């Protein structure tokens, strides 16, 4: 719904320039790894029980 005539908000240009920080990447990797662990252990539990 954003179009070319829409005025940019303050900070929009700064957000586009900003790169992913190593700390943010580490947090996402840890959270993703924990989520994958929960998913896999749940599947293994379902398979072992059945």
């Amino acid at each position: 719904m954003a179009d070319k005539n829409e005025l940019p908000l303050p900070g929009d240009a700064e957000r586009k320039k900003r790169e992913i920080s190593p700390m943010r990447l580490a947090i996402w990797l840890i959270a993703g790894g924990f989520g994958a662990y929960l998913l896999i252990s749940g599947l293994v539990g379902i398979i072992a029980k059945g």
Side-chain angles (χ1 to χ4, degrees), residues 7-30:
L7 292 173
L9 296 173
D12 279 351
E14 184 179 316
R15 278 193 203 130
K16 289 180 184 176
K17 292 180 191 175
R18 190 171 45 171
E19 294 181 10
I20 299 172
S21 69
M23 179 62 86
R24 182 173 289 185
L25 181 63
I27 290 171
W28 276 104
L29 286 174
I30 291 169

